[in-house]
C-alpha cells in the first residue's frame, strides 16, 4: 500500500534528506511540499525546498510557501546550525528550476486534503498545520495521521527542556496535539539514534552521483556545526526519521502515551511532556517514537538517494 503524503518542512539539512526520501521511496506518494519559517526565514526555506527537488530532477511535486512566523511568538531561526542560506555547504548559483507554487501552503493543503485523505509529515514548527486545523476543522477527517519530527522525551536542543521545532511555536504544537488527529512524535530521543557516522558518509560517497555528492557536502557542513555547537562526533539526521516511520512503521518503534505541550512555563515553553509512566492518569493521545532500526533506516535513505540518480 502506498501512503499519500504531504511534507511540511523548513529546509534545513535534515529536511533536505527528508524530501529526498519522501520523493524517492516507493512506499509513499509525495503530493506536496509546504514550507514554514524555522531553520531559516520562510523565503530561504522555500528556495531550499525548490533547490532540493530541482537537484533531484523532480518537477511534478508542488512547493508552496507557508507561515513566515509562529502563531504568537517572535521567530527564532537556527542559522547557527544550518548557516546563512539554511542549507550551507555546497555553493549554488542561480535560481532552482522548480518554481514556487502560485498558491500559499495553506491553499495547497486545503486543496489536497479536500480531494483525498493524506498523511502529513511535519519536520518544522507546526504553524501551518495548526492554522489549517483552526481554519478548516472539517478537513481534519482527511488527515490520516500527523507524524512530527519534534519534541523530546528527554532534554531539549534549543532550551534545557525544549526541542527547536516545539520551542519555535509551542502554541501551534499545543493546538495540533489537542486536535484529536492521530499524532506521532519522533523526538530527539529517537532522532539521536540516526547519526551520520563515517560509514554513512562512505555509503553516500560510494553512490557516486552528483546528488549524492551534494548530500555528502550538506552532511559535512551539518557535522561541523553539530560538533562545534553540541560536541557531537556525528550529527543526528532528525527529519528523515519521521518520513521513515510512515514508509515502514517497523523502522521506528513507538508506544502510546499522553503528550502535552508546555506553553505557559517561564523557563519551559515548548517542553513536550510525555507521560511514559502513567503518572498523570491522563489517557494516551499520541504515539511516541522510542527506538530506531538503524540499519533499515539507513538502507532506505541510501536506496532513495541512489534511485534518484
Ligand atoms: O531539533 C531538530 C529539528 O529542528 C529538525 O527538524 C531541524 O531541521 C530543525 O528544524
Ligand atoms: Ca526541520
Amino acid at each position: 500500500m502506498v501512503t499519500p503524503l504531504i511534507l511540511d518542512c523548513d529546509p534545513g539539512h535534515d529536511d533536505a534528506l527528508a524530501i529526498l526520501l519522501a520523493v524517492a521511496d516507493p512506499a509513499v506518494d509525495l503530493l506536496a511540499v509546504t514550507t514554514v519559517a524555522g531553520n531559516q526565514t520562510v523565503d530561504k526555506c522555500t528556495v531550499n525546498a525548490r533547490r532540493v527537488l530541482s537537484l533531484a530532477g523532480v518537477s511534478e511535486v508542488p512547493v508552496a510557501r507557508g507561515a513566515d512566523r509562529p502563531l504568537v511568538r517572535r521567530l527564532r531561526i537556527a542559522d547557527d546550525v544550518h548557516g546563512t542560506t539554511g542549507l550551507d555547504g555546497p555553493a549554488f548559483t542561480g535560481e532552482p528550476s522548480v518554481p514556487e507554487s502560485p498558491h500559499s501552503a495553506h491553499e495547497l493543503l486545503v486543496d489536497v486534503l479536500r480531494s483525498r485523505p493524506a498523511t502529513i509529515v511535519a519536520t518544522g514548527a507546526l504553524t501551518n498545520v495548526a492554522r489549517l486545523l483552526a481554519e478548516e476543522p472539517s478537513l481534519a477527517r482527511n488527515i490520516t495521521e500527523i507524524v512530527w519530527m519534534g519534541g523530546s522525551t528527554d532534554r531539549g536542543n534549543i532550551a534545557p527542556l525544549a526541542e527547536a521545532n516545539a520551542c519555535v511555536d509551542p502554541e501551534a504544537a499545543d493546538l495540533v496535539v489537542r486536535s484529536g488527529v492521530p499524532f506521532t512524535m519522533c523526538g530527539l530521543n529517537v532522532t539521536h539514534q540516526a547519526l551520520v557516522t563515517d560509514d554513512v558518509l562512505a555509503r553516500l560517497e560510494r553512490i557516486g552521483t552528483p546528488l549524492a555528492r551534494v548530500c555528502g557536502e550538506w552532511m559535512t557542513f551539518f557535522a561541523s556545526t553539530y560538533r562545534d555547537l553540541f560536541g557531537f562526533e556525528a550529527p543526528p539526521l532528525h527529519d528523515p526519521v519521521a518520513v521513515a516511520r510512515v514508509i515502514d512503521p517497523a523502522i521506528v518503534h513507538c508506544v502510546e502515551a499522553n503528550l502535552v505541550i508546555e506553553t505557559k512555563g517561564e523557563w519551559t515553553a515548548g517542553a513536550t511532556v510525555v507521560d511514559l509512566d502513567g503518572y498523570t492518569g491522563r489517557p494516551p493521545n499520541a504515539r511516541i517514537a522510542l527506538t530506531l532500526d538503524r540499519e533499515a533506516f539507513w538502507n532506505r535513505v541510501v536506496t532513495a538517494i541512489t534511485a534518484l540518480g
Side-chain angles (χ1 to χ4, degrees):
M1 204 191 70
V2 178
T3 304
L5 191 80
I6 299 168
L7 181 56
D8 186 62
C9 57
D10 62 340
H13 295 75
D14 49 337
D15 303 80
L17 268 70
I19 294 173
L20 296 177
L21 180 58
V23 90
D25 196 289
V28 291
D29 177 16
L30 184 62
L31 304 175
V33 172
T34 52
T35 60
V36 65
N39 283 328
Q40 255 297 353
T41 63
V42 76
D43 288 358
K44 292 184 181 180
C45 291
T46 307
V47 171
N48 291 345
R50 293 169 49 211
R51 175 89 59 206
V52 173
L53 287 173
S54 304
L55 288 166
V58 174
S59 54
E60 65 278 8
V61 177
V63 177
R65 173 190 302 248
D68 65 358
R69 70 195 71 175
L71 294 182
V72 294
R73 294 175 194 252
R74 221 165 39 84
L75 175 63
R76 178 172 169 185
I77 59 169
D79 51 350
D80 52 348
V81 179
H82 298 275
T84 50
T85 65
L87 208 43
D88 275 14
F92 296 107
T93 47
E95 279 277 297
S97 57
V98 168
E100 182 178 332
S101 166
H103 301 289
S104 68
H106 186 74
E107 289 165 346
L108 186 60
L109 288 166
V110 169
D111 197 45
V112 171
L113 290 166
R114 273 202 184 127
S115 65
R116 61 187 302 176
T119 292
I120 297 178
V121 170
T123 60
L126 285 167
T127 321
N128 292 336
V129 185
R131 186 178 159 213
L132 175 76
L133 291 169
E135 295 183 14
E136 301 286 343
S138 66
L139 291 181
R141 66 168 181 270
N142 260 4
I143 305 174
T144 313
E145 184 184 8
I146 296 164
V147 181
W148 181 46
M149 188 285 123
S152 172
T153 60
D154 305 322
R155 295 178 67 81
N157 63 355
I158 194 173
L161 295 180
E163 179 278 335
N165 292 341
C167 200
V168 165
D169 200 343
E171 286 73 21
D174 174 49
L175 193 153
V176 172
V177 168
R178 287 192 295 101
S179 70
V181 176
F183 188 84
T184 298
M185 180 183 111
C186 300
L188 298 177
N189 55 290
V190 71
T191 65
H192 283 185
Q193 297 166 43
L195 299 176
V196 188
T197 48
D198 287 346
D199 62 306
V200 173
L201 286 175
R203 287 180 76 178
L204 287 177
E205 204 175 317
R206 277 200 297 276
I207 298 172
T209 60
L211 177 64
R213 262 195 296 283
V214 169
C215 291
E217 290 174 50
W218 281 332
M219 291 304 104
T220 302
F221 179 87
F222 199 42
S224 72
T225 58
Y226 256 84
R227 191 170 43 242
D228 296 349
L229 291 170
F230 303 111
F232 274 54
E233 280 182 23
L237 196 68
H238 308 282
D239 294 337
V241 172
V243 178
R245 167 69 193 180
V246 180
I247 286 171
D248 179 0
I251 297 176
V252 185
H253 172 68
C254 294
V255 296
E256 303 219 331
N258 187 268
L259 165 66
V260 292
I261 310 291
E262 177 59 77
T263 56
K264 307 259 181 337
E266 186 177 2
W267 306 108
T268 53
T272 43
V273 183
V274 181
D275 187 8
L276 287 175
D277 301 300
Y279 293 127
T280 65
R282 290 191 294 257
N285 62 349
R287 293 191 198 104
I288 307 295
L290 293 184
T291 46
L292 180 73
D293 179 338
R294 290 186 184 82
E295 198 186 334
F297 173 75
W298 287 116
N299 284 344
R300 282 325 260 239
V301 173
V302 169
T303 303
I305 294 169
T306 308
L308 287 166

